[in-house]
Structure formats: structure tokens, C-alpha cells
Amino acid sequence: MNMIQVFNTFGRRLEELSVENNTIKMYVCGPTVYDYLHIGHGRTFVAFDAMSRYLRLKGYNVIRVQNITDIDDKIINKAKETNTSWEEVANTYSKDYLDNMNALKVKIDLHPRVSTHIKEILEFIQGLIDKGHAYVAPSGSVYFDVTSFPKYGELSNTKMEEWNQGEEFLKEKKHPFDFALWKAWKPGEPYWDSPWGKGRPGWHIECSTMATRYLGEQFDIHGGGMDLIFPHHENERAQSESLIGKKWVKYWIHVAFLTINGEKMSKSLKNIIPLKEALKEYGAEVLRYWFLSSHYRSSLDFNENSLQQSKSSIERLKDAVSIVKDIIKEGPKSYASDDDIKTQKEIITKISEYNEFMSNDFDTSNALAKIHELANIVFTKLQYSRDLLGASIALEGFRQFNEVFGVMDKELGEALESIDKIIDTVIEIRNTLRNKKMYDLSDQIRSALADAGIKILDSKDKSTWRFQ
Ligand code: AMP
Ligand code: ZN
């Protein structure tokens, strides 16, 4: 197994991935459900999906937890604006989020919600008060005391001393960086009872509580978009390490923004493209391919052309897979030429380069280039040499690629072998009808197959097919 390196935001350097029991515990910060999920969220969530899939392919068990923030100022405001309850708002957009994750084939093992973890959050806050890391303000709000955690600022390289927003900003806080663990109730807001009076949790405490509850006091990967490094993750780290008294997370991973006209796509800037609309327009395969076409630490700008390009790139890879499958169907040969052996070696090299790039901080962009070079070998060499061994190795390469990218599941799914046989038989019947000049019937078969998403590729002396 080649060594896997990940870029740790903590310390800003590449580190060798090393975990216990071959198991990777991952927590990704999920959405605040007050509006439709947009393609910016899609990029971040698919990036972690590709990492998880690659790690699984390399033999790790991956457990991914991603929260749903269902209590927040923005949800409360949306409920007021639309004259509904906060629960109604949260349910509507949680459903949109979950539907989109399913459609995008993003695997998440657990989706804890803040509203069902209040008891655990209260215990966490009480623990921080007991240890002298938090204080109760006269309003009944509880704040984390950043001066009680000397390592505050290490993750985001933020210097506490340089921060001074003046008395006005402080209000009831002792230090401008202190943040609310518990927010005292204001009329018109939902509330829960607590030892400090009615109120609701602040934002950061939910992730510390739920990550620790489900992944243990120390876990491997914690991530989200880059906007979360400060203050969210800095604050999560401060409260978690203060409570448990040791290092909380091994690798902090952050995904760069999806932008539109160079600006971060975000609900507050009103420049979003809802994920469900993008899925309707381009489909999950094209979106996944496009999200992964740039490295997760480089920003990705929305542009219609690059999505169209992603679409044709997938088509090209599907063509290569259909050629390779066809060579395999033809069966073994009794002889392989020197050229065949040379080509086999080239194919093996491409696959191993693909893996090297993926192991180098999940460099999907360069890994993708290697898979296109593999397709090139299929078009320029295997297509003519019809070498079974070369084709089998290439198919394995495409499978490894698809395990991560998930852009040709129909073409490469294992349960599909019997379907392959059925379609082969139908096409044989169609060809017999054509030979007998019964074109009405043969055309009927072609269009029925087309309706089912199967494209027949006729050449001079044989017909092959592939999924569209
Ligand atoms: P939010 O709903 O804004 O709390 O975001 C949920 C997750 O999506 C966080 O990990 C964000 O960092 C990420 N995210 C939000 N907008 C973008 C964007 N434009 N590009 C990449 N990730 C984003
Ligand atoms: Zn979080």
C-alpha cells in the first residue's frame, strides 16, 4: 500500500496519514438548514466523499459523521419571514439536503441534529464551567473564556493580542474572542431549559458535543469548507481540548470555495445555484466529475463551459470502457505480441500514477489526467490489438477510478453482468432481423433500447453497445 499524505490545516503541512485499527473517524460540518443546498455545499461534501471512497479502496474503514444544524439565528429569522415554525423550516431544508446527498451518491453514516442533542450539549457546557473555561453572564448566556486556553489561535494562526474591537463589541463578554456556548432566551425564539435559565445552544458547541459523542474524545479527520477555519473550528478545538484535556483532532482538512464570477457562492451573497437545479440540469455524474476536476484546496469557479467539458470527458471515458469490455467479451487469445506486453506495462504505470496522485493529498485533478491517458492507450492501442490481458488490467484501472469518482456506475457495476448478457442477446436478435431485412422490427428494438438509455454502436461487421 502506498503511503497516503494529507495536508493538515493545523501546522499547514503535508503529513503521513496514520490511524489506529485501520479505521478513520471523520466529522464534516454539515449545513445550516434554512435554505436550499447549493453547489458550493455540493463541492465540499463530494470532496470528502472522494476522500472517504479512496481511503476505503485502500482498505480503511471510514466512519463519516456530518451534522445538521437545525437551531440557528438564520432558521429562526426564516421562520419569522415565512410565518412558519423553525421546525418546519428545518424539516423542509433537511429533506432537501438529504435528497441531494443521495442523488449525488455521497455516503454519510450518521446525521446528528442539534435539536436532539440538547442534553449532551448542556453536560458539555457544564463540564467547561466546572473546569473554569466558561462563565455565566448576567443575561443567562454562557461564554467560553478564550484566555483560559493558551493554545487559542493556533489552528487559524490568529493572534489574540492583535484583536481589539473596542468596548462596544464586548457587551457582556470578557474578551472580544469569547464566544457563546449558550444563548439566553429572547422573546419569539425557541428555548430549552438549562441550569442558567431558558435558552438555546450557540453554534460551535454542537459540533464539539456530537463529534465527541459519536467518534470518541480523539478522532482522525475533521473538516469542512475553508470559511470554517476561523472562528468555527478554532472555537470547536478550544472548547473540546479544554474539556478533554488532550489533543482532539489529528488532521484538519479544509476545502476551498466554489465561486461564481470569482466570488464565494453563498446564501448571504444571493448568488447561489441550488444543487437540486444543477442536478436536474447536469446530473450527478457530471457534477461529481466537475467538482473533482480541480484539487480540493484550489477554488473552483462556476462556468457553463467547464461543465459541458466534464460531460464530454465522461463520454470519452465511457467509450473507452465499452471498448475494453468488448475486448474482454471476445475471450482469450493464444498469443500476445511484444507490443502487447509493452502496452500492458504502460497501462499498469498509468494506474499506479493515478494512485500516487490520489495518495498525495487526494489530488483528483492530476489523477483524472492519468485516467484520460489510460483511455488514450485504449483508443490508440488496445482497440486495434484486442489484447485481453491489457484490457482486463485497464478495466481494473477504470474500476479503481470509478470507486472514487462515481461517474460510470452503470458501466462498471458488478451486478450488471447478467444485464449485459440480456442486452447482448437482444442485440443479436436485432441483428438477425436486420439480416433478414425486417427493418421495422429491428428499428423498434433499437428505439426501445434507446428509451432504456442504451446506445447501439454499429460498425461494419459487429454491433456493440453502451449506457448513455
Ligand atoms: P453552511 O450551510 O454555510 O453552514 O455550510 C455548510 C458546509 O458547506 C460548510 O462546510 C461550508 O464551509 C461549506 N460551504 C458553504 N459554501 C461553500 C462554497 N461556496 N464552497 C465550498 N464550500 C462551501
Ligand atoms: Zn462544525
Side-chain angles (χ1 to χ4, degrees), residues 392-425:
S392 304
I393 307 168
L395 187 63
E396 176 53 27
F398 288 124
R399 282 216 165 104
Q400 288 186 19
F401 156 75
N402 192 59
E403 289 281 323
V404 177
F405 282 69
V407 297
M408 349 189 234
D409 289 350
K410 269 198 229 153
E411 289 68 20
L412 292 167
E414 271 158 30
L416 290 167
E417 271 162 30
S418 58
I419 297 178
D420 276 16
K421 282 198 189 114
I422 295 167
I423 299 172
D424 284 346
T425 313

Side-chain angles (χ1 to χ4, degrees), residues 112-367:
R113 291 167 194 248
V114 194
S115 62
T116 51
H117 291 80
I118 302 292
K119 181 175 147 283
E120 292 84 351
I121 289 173
L122 292 175
E123 285 167 7
F124 203 114
I125 299 173
Q126 189 62 59
L128 286 170
I129 296 174
D130 294 346
K131 287 194 159 192
H133 290 287
Y135 55 94
V136 186
S139 65
S141 290
V142 183
Y143 292 96
F144 183 84
D145 173 2
V146 288
T147 58
S148 75
F149 184 67
K151 294 189 266 180
Y152 192 83
E154 275 182 1
L155 173 66
S156 56
N157 281 333
T158 304
K159 302 252 178 302
M160 259 203 288
E161 316 78 63
E162 287 168 17
W163 184 268
N164 184 3
Q165 292 232 344
E167 289 297 307
E168 171 62 16
F169 185 79
L170 273 176
K171 292 193 181 118
E172 57 182 11
K173 295 194 282 185
K174 293 185 189 161
H175 186 280
F177 277 160
D178 288 355
F179 53 90
L181 300 167
W182 186 256
K183 294 182 172 182
W185 179 68
K186 289 197 213 103
E189 291 189 351
Y191 67 85
W192 286 263
D193 289 322
S194 84
W196 322 288
K198 290 179 195 170
R200 60 187 166 99
W203 175 29
H204 319 293
I205 193 70
E206 65 180 88
C207 290
S208 287
T209 305
M210 297 192 292
T212 307
R213 173 167 169 82
Y214 294 109
L215 300 176
E217 285 191 345
Q218 287 178 305
F219 58 97
D220 306 297
I221 294 180
H222 190 353
M226 285 195 176
D227 52 335
L228 299 188
I229 301 174
F230 186 85
H232 187 51
H233 286 166
E234 192 68 71
N235 292 353
E236 281 188 26
R237 176 174 181 259
Q239 56 200 8
S240 302
E241 297 201 354
S242 295
L243 187 72
I244 64 175
K246 55 190 171 195
K247 182 168 166 169
W248 186 48
V249 166
K250 263 192 183 162
Y251 310 98
W252 292 88
I253 299 185
H254 293 97
V255 179
F257 295 141
L258 187 142
T259 55
I260 183 159
N261 301 320
E263 244 186 346
K264 181 193 172 197
M265 181 169 288
S266 98
K267 292 174 248 193
S268 49
L269 291 173
K270 300 201 169 30
N271 60 0
I272 68 162
I273 298 178
L275 200 41
K276 66 171 181 178
E277 279 172 26
L279 276 161
K280 233 185 264 163
E281 177 85 21
Y282 306 104
E285 292 181 348
V286 172
L287 282 176
R288 284 186 67 99
Y289 186 102
W290 177 62
F291 289 146
L292 299 173
S293 64
S294 77
H295 186 255
Y296 78 87
R297 281 191 290 118
S298 309
S299 60
L300 174 68
D301 201 48
F302 174 79
N303 141 356
E304 184 71 33
N305 274 347
S306 61
L307 275 147
Q308 290 309 335
Q309 254 169 31
S310 297
K311 186 163 189 254
S312 31
S313 300
I314 299 176
E315 292 292 307
R316 185 174 180 274
L317 295 179
K318 287 183 178 175
D319 283 346
V321 168
S322 83
I323 293 171
V324 158
K325 280 167 69 178
D326 207 42
I327 299 169
I328 294 170
K329 257 185 233 160
E330 288 167 7
K333 315 279 181 302
S334 56
Y335 180 78
S337 70
D338 288 350
D339 276 351
D340 288 339
I341 294 165
K342 210 172 126 212
T343 305
Q344 290 160 17
K345 284 191 183 143
E346 281 174 37
I347 293 171
I348 291 169
T349 306
K350 293 298 166 212
I351 299 171
S352 93
E353 286 171 344
Y354 162 79
N355 279 289
E356 275 165 31
F357 277 120
M358 285 305 299
S359 293
N360 180 19
D361 195 28
F362 312 105
D363 184 349
T364 51
S365 172
N366 278 308

